Amino acid sequence: PAWLVTTLSVASYLFPAAQLPFTPYEDSNQYNCPPSTKRNFQGRWPLKISKFLLDLTSKIVPKDIEEEALALKQIPKTIIMTGAKDPMIPMESVQSL
């Protein structure tokens, strides 16, 4: 619902570092290399990061794909990665970028 997105947007502005129970949980034990390292983040994502990634995946990337233009052109180096069998971002949808 729009009211919820607005509330979370305001909260991420006011409390960017808050790690609330409804933000995604990052379990780096699944991908640490070497397994004993502690350098990767583990825990609930801060609100500001959650909001940024939500906006990126729900607004910016779909708009870029639709317009066949990269909104991140002001960033000097951009890497686009996709898997051959990726159901979320099919390879053919990003080839033009």
Side-chain angles (χ1 to χ4, degrees):
W3 67 268
L4 181 57
V5 173
T6 301
T7 302
L8 290 174
S9 295
V10 171
S12 73
Y13 178 77
L14 296 173
F15 311 105
Q19 295 171 293
L20 304 176
F22 52 80
T23 61
Y25 182 79
E26 181 103 13
D27 182 6
S28 58
N29 290 326
Q30 305 300 316
Y31 58 81
N32 278 341
C33 187
S36 61
T37 187
K38 299 295 181 202
R39 64 181 167 210
N40 292 321
F41 175 79
Q42 184 162 346
R44 294 279 172 196
W45 290 1
L47 274 177
K48 191 67 174 179
I49 298 297
S50 298
K51 170 81 169 79
F52 170 77
L53 293 173
L54 176 64
D55 288 348
L56 182 68
T57 57
S58 67
K59 298 175 185 173
I60 297 170
V61 170
K63 183 174 178 270
D64 285 355
I65 290 171
E66 182 181 316
E67 296 177 357
E68 295 185 356
L70 193 59
L72 302 174
K73 285 184 179 177
Q74 69 273 16
I75 297 174
K77 295 182 181 183
T78 303
I79 297 173
I80 299 174
M81 295 172 42
T82 183
K85 296 180 181 179
D86 185 347
M88 297 300 291
I89 304 174
M91 198 172 299
E92 54 273 1
S93 69
V94 295
Q95 283 176 333
S96 64
L97 301 176

